[in-house]
Amino acid sequence: TLLAKTSVGKGYGANVATYSACHVPPNLLHFIAVGCENGTLVNFQLTQTKDEQSSSPLPFEFTKVSECQGHTKAICAINFHPRGTQLLSSAKDGTARIFDAQSGTSLGVLKCEVHDPAGPAPVVPDPSKMKTKDPRMMKRAPQILVRGCAYGDLEGKVIYAVASGKRGPAYLTKWRTLVPLNRAPVSAGPPRAPPPSF
């Protein structure tokens, strides 16, 4: 049975979605974040439809909370902070990013690398020192795809990311984040419907 439906955004496409319940006394709020092909991360709240005020025949509705901008290529993975209202995302642009889920504000960027940690760091030639100025002959840095990301503890101080090139081995990395946990309540706005009962 279909319970709710909404458009993520015209031309956005979608690769991945994740769910989180956030306790904001006295309610338990339900959030769903969607990672899109165009690099946008869209966060929705799921609420119960009030039959007398809504024209929707469905029992639940999605309300857009925020759009997070920063990735320049398709998003591969997203995760909510285990105890807060932050979102962690990774994409085909070589980065993992932390956003405030309520405002969409960027809080931090992790720039990932792809090389064997036991070997030397890769050398990317300086185009200004190359003999040719033909752009087709200049070596470009390899594209880095950050295919997955996850928080590694309940405080959100540890982040794991897995990255690879288009071909070849993938590398798992562990990061420590200095982004503070947002313990502020959900921003004031229009009155919210009672939490859905599943």
Side-chain angles (χ1 to χ4, degrees), residues 136-151:
R136 295 173 296 168
M137 301 301 290
M138 293 184 185
K139 186 174 181 180
R140 290 181 288 173
Q143 182 179 358
I144 297 172
L145 312 173
V146 187
R147 298 179 184 272
C149 60
Y151 283 102

Side-chain angles (χ1 to χ4, degrees), residues 8 16-20 31-36 41-45 66 68 78-80 87-88 101:
V8 174
V16 64
T18 190
Y19 165 84
S20 179
F31 294 100
I32 297 91
V34 180
C36 303
L41 196 150
V42 186
N43 188 24
F44 294 94
Q45 182 179 352
S66 63
C68 307
I78 47 178
N79 278 284
F80 278 94
L87 281 163
L88 172 65

Side-chain angles (χ1 to χ4, degrees), residues 45 47 63-64 186-193:
Q45 182 179 352
T47 55
T63 303
K64 186 185 289 187
V186 175
S187 59
R192 299 193 186 274

Side-chain angles (χ1 to χ4, degrees), residues 75-97:
I75 294 176
C76 299
I78 47 178
N79 278 284
F80 278 94
H81 189 287
R83 290 189 179 170
T85 58
Q86 296 170 4
L87 281 163
L88 172 65
S89 60
S90 63
K92 295 180 179 180
D93 62 3
T95 67
R97 294 176 180 265

